[in-house]
Amino acid sequence: TSAKVGAKIVVTGGGFTKTGNSFFFYSPDTNESASIKNLNSADGTKLTVTIPSTLKARVFSTYVINAGGSSNTVDFTIIP
């Protein structure tokens, strides 16, 4: 999956809480990271995330943390 900086993406999965979800981008190669906190999920299966303008084009590991724990990581590519 890929998108440009500033794009809104819909993350699908399970176990999201109605409030208090945090979405993380992390690049192990460069230690570059960003997070979006306090995301809501009305149905527990979708989060809408805007890709931060501070991130550079590369592959990031992404994951979610909430009151239920931490998700698995999924690679996401930010494109120029």
Side-chain angles (χ1 to χ4, degrees):
T1 306
S2 63
K4 293 182 177 189
V5 165
K8 285 190 179 188
I9 59 170
V10 177
V11 178
T12 57
F16 303 138
T17 52
K18 287 192 184 243
T19 60
N21 298 284
S22 295
F23 188 86
F24 295 87
F25 293 86
Y26 176 69
S27 171
D29 295 334
T30 64
N31 269 348
E32 184 178 5
S33 65
S35 63
I36 300 100
K37 297 185 178 178
N38 297 316
L39 295 169
N40 299 330
S41 177
D43 65 1
T45 66
K46 293 182 207 122
L47 294 173
T48 300
V49 175
T50 301
I51 299 173
S53 61
T54 57
L55 297 178
K56 306 234 184 312
R58 64 176 44 95
V59 176
F60 287 86
S61 295
T62 62
Y63 57 96
V64 175
I65 295 177
N66 61 29
S70 180
S71 73
N72 59 314
T73 60
V74 175
D75 285 347
F76 186 86
T77 303
I78 296 180
I79 56 177

